[in-house]
Amino acid sequence: MGILVRKQRGGYDFTNIAKLSIVGLIISLSAAYVNTIWAIYMDSFFGSIVFVGILSAALTLISFIAYFLFIPVIEKSNKVKIFSYTIFFFIISYLLFAINHNFYFFIILAVIITILFTLRITSFGIIIRDNSKDNEVSSNEGVVYTFRNVAWVLGPLIAGFVASEFGVSWVFVLSALFLLIGLIIFNVSEIKSSEDKIKGNHNNFLKNFIEFFKDRNRVLAYVLGGGVNLWWVLIYLFIPLMIIRSHLSELWVGYFLFGIAVPLILFEYVFAKWAGKHGFKKMFKVGYLIVSVMAFSCFFVSNIYIILSLLILASIGMAMLESTTESYFLDILNKRDKCRFYGPYNTAINSGQLIGKIFGSVLLIFLPFKFLFLLFGGFMFLLFLTSFKVKDIIEVKKG
């Protein structure tokens, strides 16, 4: 990963992308800890997979709205400061989660971190773009995502062990500690973000919504990006609950999520770099086809260990999609529109999750759990067909 360092007189030093990758690794470790136990934590209040799914869907809808409402904030504010402040408030929120046992206070905190997440992910994504050359967007995204996915290998194992041995509350404390470390490293790294001169007033929610979805290429990128997050609903919300209800411990949730992240680490940077040189279209098609086939296969299997193994294999397909869908959107986006439209693009996270949570929760009211695999496999196959319609882009021109 030569783009992590640059030559200077007398030696080498870290590039900003390297610094951001390290920060992303530490922040993602915190996120991996919480995501490992989040469904279990919510289930402690409800005792029902259906209600867990419904609450998750409601929080996702709040996040969707927040991305559009905060467009003026993202456009007019310093992205580095936004990122720092959101991390600080995440730390406070996680410490409160650790000591809270009140259902209504849990709901309030859940809404707060949902809104904070929209500001965090948008500001961090723009900072990465501002520190990337035009022909290095996919490679840099691949590097950052690879570092993040190292966290998603280690995080579930650590969180599963901590939750099993000491309880869920200590996972939140551990997460807050890692966020504090990440915040300190980010601030001492002196990362900069460009200060864009924004023309016009983009405070109108409806106008921003319409303008974003008027462009066909943006819509297709949005749909494909949403599909990645739709798949993660199955992996991070429903499968952990299936594992627990199969009388396996929280540690097995950690083992499974560890396995899910391994293919992402091994292949994501390679696939991202290949897409930048040869085009994104084929990568999207093959990736979604692999995930679809693995999901359908799970429907015909009853052994939980084989099911978990097939889902881990599906992550090879996800390695082709996770960073490439985002870098594809950044490539088709005009630079002057990045502050206005990168936030709304991230509602693809919410749209994908909302569809997965609502359809998955409703399905479970009427059908056994295994039908979730047909549902998600069907979604992935539709996205495979959608991949044929995208405009192919090559970042690095040959010759």
Side-chain angles (χ1 to χ4, degrees), residues 149 152-153 156 231-232 234-236 239 243 253-266 268 307-319 322:
N149 286 321
W152 289 96
V153 167
W231 176 254
W232 292 138
L234 175 66
I235 300 302
Y236 285 97
I239 298 302
I243 292 172
V253 177
Y255 291 151
F256 169 66
L257 296 181
F258 166 86
I260 285 293
V262 169
L264 302 178
I265 291 177
L266 294 177
E268 196 153 79
I307 290 173
L308 298 182
S309 299
L310 290 171
L311 294 175
I312 289 170
L313 288 175
S315 278
I316 296 174
M318 294 308 296
E322 191 177 51

Side-chain angles (χ1 to χ4, degrees), residues 193-211:
S193 182
S194 64
E195 297 298 321
D196 302 289
K197 295 181 179 179
I198 304 299
K199 295 181 179 180
N201 190 332
H202 299 143
N203 293 322
N204 189 306
F205 177 94
L206 183 60
K207 183 178 179 181
N208 288 327
F209 183 88
I210 293 172
E211 285 294 322

Side-chain angles (χ1 to χ4, degrees), residues 356-370:
K357 291 169 183 176
I358 290 177
F359 278 82
S361 299
V362 171
L363 180 144
L364 290 176
I365 296 175
F366 304 102
L367 294 170
F369 189 93
K370 71 173 186 175

Side-chain angles (χ1 to χ4, degrees), residues 304-377:
I304 186 171
Y305 300 107
I306 297 177
I307 290 173
L308 298 182
S309 299
L310 290 171
L311 294 175
I312 289 170
L313 288 175
S315 278
I316 296 174
M318 294 308 296
M320 298 179 179
L321 301 168
E322 191 177 51
S323 68
T324 53
T325 49
E326 182 167 332
S327 55
Y328 177 78
F329 177 80
L330 290 170
D331 279 335
I332 65 172
L333 193 66
N334 293 325
K335 282 188 175 181
R336 66 178 182 274
D337 289 331
K338 72 177 186 295
C339 289
R340 185 183 184 192
F341 289 138
Y342 180 68
Y345 166 75
N346 281 307
T347 63
I349 298 171
N350 311 111
S351 298
Q353 290 180 352
L354 192 63
I355 291 170
K357 291 169 183 176
I358 290 177
F359 278 82
S361 299
V362 171
L363 180 144
L364 290 176
I365 296 175
F366 304 102
L367 294 170
F369 189 93
K370 71 173 186 175
F371 282 88
L372 279 178
F373 298 121
L374 286 185
L375 176 68
F376 281 86

Side-chain angles (χ1 to χ4, degrees), residues 291-300 373-375 377-379 381:
V291 180
S292 176
V293 170
M294 292 299 107
F296 283 132
S297 299
C298 288
F299 176 78
F300 300 99
F373 298 121
L374 286 185
L375 176 68
F379 281 136
F381 187 75

